[in-house]
């Protein structure tokens, strides 16, 4: 019976489902609810209808009664959005390589590199000032939304910009590891990568963990987020440097 | 099939570093969950975050077979 597990989960978690009346139940669920009613067990509709006169009230009450739902109902949605955008650069890179299109490969490299640099410049130059002007609770609210939204997009942009750059240099026979310009680009990329793996990603994960705690340390969330935003400024400077190196490689 | 071995190894190396760092943080989160400081929603989000990152690395690894 399809409705069995549904009702079991509902009762185990003590969550008021956003289903408020018998008419809203599926045809498969109705016999189950009727059987429960006739068996002397507290009727399903008596749990739901009086407590939740409207669908919206149901959702709000479910969030209020369940700490997990109350904490960050938007985190999963923002994370999913971030993933949906984050897979686009690797897919574009795959398309460029599969079609052997120098144009598409160059486009992917320039757009991902430019977006990555632009994003870091924006974070370092604009967002850091905006965040400093906010009080701690407001900073935490920004961090709660900014961290999941950027979680996949930024690593994806960074990885694809670097990977497509190496493939492009190989295709144009410029990937000469004895060239000081290529070595300089490699050193900058290594620093950027170390910062990404060593600071950005762990800070993002620590913010997720802190947000999911029953008593989040809001001060820690604000500090970690500010650290990431300031570091984005440093990354932007390094990226401006690497663009200078790229300009030299493109011209000479 | 042509494989860009250097690119493939680089992706595996980066994925390995990511897994090591993420794994450490995840283990800390699981400990917090067992101490009842952390809700299961946090663990669930971390798992999805890990799956998402691995999916992006898998796509990057696929490029090594096309270059």
């Amino acid at each position: 019976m399809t409705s069995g597990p549904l009702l079991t989960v509902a009762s185990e978690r003590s969550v008021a489902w956003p289903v408020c009346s018998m008419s809203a139940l599926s045809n498969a669920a109705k016999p189950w609810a009727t059987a429960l009613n006739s068996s002397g067990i507290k009727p399903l509709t008596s749990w739901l209808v009086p407590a939740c006169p409207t669908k919206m009230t149901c959702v709000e009450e479910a969030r209020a009664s369940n700490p997990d739902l109350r904490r960050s109902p938007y985190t999963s949605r923002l994370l999913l959005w971030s993933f949906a955008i984050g897979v686009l650069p690797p897919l574009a890179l795959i398309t460029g390589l599969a079609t052997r299109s120098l144009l598409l490969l160059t486009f992917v490299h320039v757009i991902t590199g430019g977006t990555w640099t632009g994003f870091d410049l924006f974070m370092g130059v604009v967002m850091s000032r905006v965040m400093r002007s906010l009080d701690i609770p407001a900073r935490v609210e920004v961090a709660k939304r900014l961290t999941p939204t950027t979680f996949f997009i930024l690593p994806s942009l960074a990885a694809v910009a670097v990977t497509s750059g190496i493939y492009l240099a190989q295709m144009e026979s410029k990937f000469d590891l004895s060239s000081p310009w290529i070595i300089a680009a490699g050193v900058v990329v290594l620093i950027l990568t170390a910062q990404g793996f060593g600071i950005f990603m762990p800070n993002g994960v620590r913010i997720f963990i802190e947000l999911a705690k029953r008593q989040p340390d809001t001060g820690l969330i604000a500090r970690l987020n500010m650290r990431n935003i300031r570091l984005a400024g440093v990354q932007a400077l390094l990226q401006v440097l690497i663009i200078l190196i790229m300009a030299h490689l493109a011209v000479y | 099939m042509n494989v860009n071995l250097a690119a493939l190894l680089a992706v595996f190396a980066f994925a390995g570093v990511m897994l090591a760092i993420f794994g450490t943080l995840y283990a800390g989160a699981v400990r917090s969950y067992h101490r009842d400081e952390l809700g299961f929603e946090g663990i669930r989000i971390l798992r999805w975050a890990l799956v998402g990152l691995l999916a992006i690395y898998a796509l990057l690894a696929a490029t090594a077979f096309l270059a």
Side-chain angles (χ1 to χ4, degrees), chain A:
Chain A
M1 188 178 286
T2 54
S3 56
L6 173 83
L7 294 171
T8 309
V9 171
S11 59
E12 277 176 0
R13 290 190 175 179
S14 304
V15 172
W17 285 105
V19 176
C20 302
S21 67
M22 198 71 158
S23 61
L25 292 173
S26 68
N27 286 335
K30 278 174 184 166
W32 234 85
T34 310
L36 273 173
N37 291 349
S38 60
S39 67
I41 300 171
K42 197 176 180 184
L44 180 68
T45 48
S46 73
W47 292 347
L48 302 176
V49 176
C52 315
T54 65
K55 192 172 181 180
M56 186 51 74
T57 314
C58 271
V59 174
E60 285 165 1
E61 286 190 6
R63 282 183 183 156
S65 62
N66 186 331
D68 286 347
L69 292 176
R70 189 179 60 224
R71 223 164 278 125
S72 53
Y74 42 79
T75 307
S76 301
R77 278 205 312 274
L78 293 175
L79 207 57
L80 195 63
W81 170 254
S82 180
F83 181 74
I85 302 296
V87 292
L88 295 179
L91 289 177
L93 177 60
I94 286 174
T95 309
L97 288 169
T99 56
R100 304 249 161 224
S101 166
L102 190 63
L103 176 72
L104 186 54
L105 203 56
T106 309
F107 172 75
V108 168
H109 178 59
V110 172
I111 192 88
T112 51
T115 310
W116 181 26
T117 307
F119 187 90
D120 279 348
L121 275 173
F122 175 78
M123 294 295 277
V125 176
V126 179
M127 275 301 280
S128 62
R129 293 287 140 183
V130 172
M131 293 292 272
R132 273 183 204 174
S133 68
L134 297 173
D135 54 15
I136 297 289
R139 286 186 198 182
V140 172
E141 288 305 311
V142 174
K144 281 158 77 172
R145 288 155 180 84
L146 191 66
T147 307
T149 314
T150 56
F151 192 78
F152 294 117
I153 297 174
L154 280 180
S156 171
L157 283 174
V160 171
V162 173
T163 312
S164 59
I166 293 172
Y167 288 144
L168 202 57
Q170 285 176 339
M171 279 173 87
E172 294 185 333
S173 305
K174 287 184 175 175
F175 196 68
D176 176 11
L177 286 174
S178 62
S179 158
W181 292 96
I182 292 286
I183 292 169
V187 169
V188 176
V189 164
L190 277 177
I191 296 170
L192 291 172
T193 307
Q195 286 178 339
F197 277 123
I199 305 173
F200 273 121
M201 197 265 284
N203 279 358
V205 175
R206 285 172 72 193
I207 289 173
F208 278 142
I209 294 171
E210 208 54 46
L211 286 174
K213 283 188 175 171
R214 304 201 190 283
Q215 289 175 326
D217 182 347
T218 51
L220 178 66
I221 294 170
R223 275 199 306 279
L224 290 172
N225 194 52
M226 274 310 286
R227 198 177 293 166
N228 271 4
I229 288 176
R230 282 199 202 100
L231 188 68
V234 176
Q235 289 235 319
L237 289 176
L238 288 168
Q239 284 159 25
V240 169
L241 181 64
I242 207 169
I243 287 172
L244 191 68
I245 297 168
M246 292 298 121
H248 183 276
L249 283 170
V251 172
Y252 300 106

